[in-house]
Amino acid sequence: MFSKIVRNGNNRPFINSCRGWFSTTSHDHEKHSCKLLIVGGGTGGCAVAAKFSKVMKKQELIVLEPSDYHYYQPLFTLIGAGVGTLEGSRKKTRDVLPDNCIWIQDKADGFDPKSNIVKTKKGNIIKYDYLLISVGIEPQFEVIPGLLEALSRPGGVCSNYSPKYVNGTYEALKKIKSGNAIFTYPNSPVKCPGAPQKICYLVDHYLRKEGKRNDVKITYNSSLPVIFGVKKYADALWKVVEDRDINVNLRTNLIEINSDKQEATFQNLDKPEEKMTMEYSLLHVTPPMATPKALSDCKELTNSAGFVDVNKDTLQHLRYSNVFTIGDCSSTPNSKTAAAAAAQSNVVQKNLSAVMQGEPPQSIYDGYASCPLVTGYDKCILAEFDYNLTPLETFPFSQDKELYSMYFMKKNLMPPLYWHLMLNGYWNGPAPLRKLMHLNLNGEK
Ligand code: UQ1
């Protein structure tokens, strides 16, 4: 296998398909091989690793994941609002990955699907029979001029989208007394597309409780043309923003921050020459996001936007039948949430197992995603929907309401469900519960 690696004129080895990434150092690189390689030990990677660890030998299953810690990111919205702690949202990677797999603590640096090889940052090589790509999407704080500088100093700029910055949101919230509180949604796909507005509602509620709300103007500036993609929940959210006196500007994209002047500049995406500068006391930024460069550089695996190019039903790669994907790095047009990854984990397990046995993939992902839209410290609208943006609700009542029960579920029930069931491979989303609740036991949606 490794004899296929060729050398270019500089005596640098490279692999034909995704070239340019093969580094040259003098020490010997490690070579690993396995039946299933899972690149990325986040939500999707960890859940699928748990499933296959029950049926594979330890040596057959490798997880490539660089981080020491695994974060339960759905908690970040609440942490930013002062509910819960960062420490409470994380566990050691070693403790969440299954014992019955090999964890290589390193990062993917290059993919070569023609040769079934992934190269790592440390220069090692992993050869696989089957590959699951679960690398997620990463915030790109650096692409908004002035953002990194603004986040590094006190001054009201914050973001829930990183463990590095999430505690800063509550710090900024405690300080604000008057002026503008502005919340942004970028012009790119994002993970948890509800989160940019959830923090806006929590800040509104916080300021009301503190008696400061009349002195602060709240604005939600979103690049999207709608407040939410599913009409049923969008209608409910428009009522929420009217009730709470929150200004919403659509197709409005943050392009620059001047933290000396406490000013943020936005662009009208429909009329790019039209720019608007607003002064802020608090600015919560949802940064643009993208798949890791090592993945998007591999054009054979990805679409033009850098996402793994898979069949949206089977989650199998369109050109490489031994490659699957799960979670935020997938080209599938679902909302990028943990609940979506849960539903996908079952499809990936079934279809990968089928392909390993020489059979066609038959399990179908319906695009299910769920978004607990927290609208205050004691209420939440639980949005659930599929690829068609049709509501697919678990509970036997209409879920377009702000309910305490849904807040309770988000805050208290979802974390243990995630850590104990999902990451151990036992949670495939709420479909069975939905069928039970709707007394539909004959297998229909
Ligand atoms: C869910 O499955 C899930 O993934 C583990 C979440 O992310 C943490 C959720 O927030 C929600 C709401 C679901 C769906 C679960 C039920 C019981 C409706």
Side-chain angles (χ1 to χ4, degrees), residues 115-351:
S115 304
N116 294 334
I117 284 173
V118 168
K119 168 146 182 273
T120 74
K121 267 244 143 69
K122 292 180 187 163
N124 299 324
I125 287 167
I126 309 172
K127 164 145 176 29
Y128 58 81
D129 295 336
Y130 300 91
L131 173 68
L132 178 69
I133 304 177
S134 45
V135 293
I137 50 174
E138 298 172 340
Q140 297 184 300
F141 293 103
E142 67 286 356
V143 309
I144 307 271
L147 176 55
L148 277 176
E149 195 195 334
L151 283 166
S152 71
R153 50 152 105 164
V157 177
C158 54
S159 179
N160 287 347
Y161 272 92
S162 162
K164 191 168 168 194
Y165 301 123
V166 64
N167 282 328
T169 304
Y170 193 51
E171 294 309 312
L173 180 51
K174 283 189 285 189
K175 281 190 199 137
I176 185 174
K177 292 190 180 70
S178 60
N180 281 321
I182 305 172
F183 300 80
T184 75
Y185 187 115
N187 190 22
S188 83
V190 302
K191 46 182 154 183
C192 194
Q197 61 186 290
K198 293 177 199 176
I199 187 63
C200 177
Y201 304 134
L202 285 160
V203 167
D204 166 79
H205 196 176
Y206 179 90
L207 294 174
R208 283 177 199 277
K209 288 198 291 188
E210 295 286 306
K212 296 179 190 163
R213 180 62 179 89
N214 287 340
D215 301 320
V216 179
K217 184 178 170 189
I218 297 187
T219 301
Y220 177 55
N221 284 345
S222 172
S223 293
L224 297 178
V226 289
I227 192 165
F228 198 77
V230 181
K231 185 175 181 307
K232 175 173 181 167
Y233 307 113
D235 291 347
L237 291 166
W238 278 118
K239 285 202 197 94
V240 171
V241 296
E242 270 163 40
D243 276 4
R244 314 279 150 85
D245 194 21
I246 293 168
N247 306 290
V248 178
N249 299 312
L250 300 177
R251 303 292 286 151
T252 302
N253 182 34
L254 176 69
I255 52 167
E256 192 168 357
I257 297 173
N258 182 333
S259 48
D260 291 333
K261 292 187 175 167
Q262 305 239 126
E263 283 178 356
T265 301
F266 296 86
Q267 184 173 39
N268 179 340
L269 290 171
D270 293 327
K271 295 181 200 148
E273 67 288 353
E274 212 173 86
K275 298 201 174 117
M276 164 175 75
T277 295
M278 297 173 76
E279 220 176 294
Y280 61 79
S281 302
L282 183 150
L283 176 67
H284 179 273
V285 179
T286 299
M289 297 176 204
T291 54
K293 189 169 178 303
L295 175 62
S296 56
D297 275 352
C298 186
K299 303 298 174 211
E300 289 164 353
L301 284 176
T302 52
N303 64 14
S304 58
F307 292 86
V308 185
D309 215 359
V310 292
N311 178 303
K312 76 189 235 305
D313 302 322
T314 63
L315 309 178
Q316 184 182 38
H317 197 270
L318 291 176
R319 294 175 291 285
Y320 295 93
S321 61
N322 62 336
V323 177
F324 284 76
T325 195
I326 187 167
D328 298 346
C329 65
S330 166
S331 64
T332 52
N334 58 281
S335 215
K336 298 184 186 303
T337 68
Q344 291 171 1
S345 69
N346 189 35
V347 175
V348 164
Q349 180 196 22
K350 288 187 172 145
N351 288 343

Side-chain angles (χ1 to χ4, degrees), residues 49-92:
K51 287 173 186 288
F52 278 97
S53 74
K54 296 178 191 11
V55 294
M56 284 170 106
K57 295 196 190 88
K58 185 165 182 159
Q59 304 300 323
E60 292 179 319
L61 179 59
I62 293 181
V63 179
L64 180 65
E65 167 56 50
S67 314
D68 290 321
Y69 287 98
H70 178 116
Y71 288 91
Y72 176 61
Q73 296 179 63
L75 220 54
F76 285 9
T77 290
L78 295 180
I79 296 168
V83 180
T85 62
L86 187 60
E87 292 69 36
S89 75
R90 74 182 183 199
K91 289 188 194 259
K92 287 192 171 140

Side-chain angles (χ1 to χ4, degrees), residues 72 74 338-340 342 368 370-372 382 384 394-395 409-410 414 417-418 422 427 429-430 433:
Y72 176 61
Y368 173 81
S370 125
C371 184
L382 179 63
E384 295 180 276
T394 300
F395 298 99
M409 185 181 83
K410 155 91 184 162
M414 281 302 133
L417 181 147
Y418 179 83
M422 183 164 179
W427 178 251
L433 207 59

Side-chain angles (χ1 to χ4, degrees), residues 310-444:
V310 292
N311 178 303
K312 76 189 235 305
D313 302 322
T314 63
L315 309 178
Q316 184 182 38
H317 197 270
L318 291 176
R319 294 175 291 285
Y320 295 93
S321 61
N322 62 336
V323 177
F324 284 76
T325 195
I326 187 167
D328 298 346
C329 65
S330 166
S331 64
T332 52
N334 58 281
S335 215
K336 298 184 186 303
T337 68
Q344 291 171 1
S345 69
N346 189 35
V347 175
V348 164
Q349 180 196 22
K350 288 187 172 145
N351 288 343
L352 243 174
S353 302
V355 170
M356 284 172 179
Q357 280 152 33
E359 288 160 17
Q362 278 173 338
S363 182
I364 301 243
Y365 171 53
D366 59 6
Y368 173 81
S370 125
C371 184
L373 290 152
V374 175
T375 52
Y377 282 86
D378 52 6
K379 39 191 172 285
C380 173
I381 294 172
L382 179 63
E384 295 180 276
F385 47 94
D386 63 12
Y387 273 141
N388 302 320
L389 304 179
T390 305
L392 199 55
E393 300 184 335
T394 300
F395 298 99
F397 50 80
S398 187
Q399 288 176 200
D400 56 349
K401 313 268 183 311
E402 296 182 84
L403 295 174
Y404 174 71
S405 53
M406 296 299 145
Y407 179 84
F408 182 87
M409 185 181 83
K410 155 91 184 162
K411 177 172 171 287
N412 301 305
L413 304 183
M414 281 302 133
L417 181 147
Y418 179 83
W419 294 119
H420 302 301
L421 294 183
M422 183 164 179
L423 294 193
N424 287 314
Y426 298 120
W427 178 251
N428 301 322
L433 207 59
R434 180 176 69 238
K435 284 168 193 156
L436 194 71
M437 296 260 197
H438 292 263
L439 295 178
N440 176 2
L441 299 168
N442 56 8
E444 286 164 23

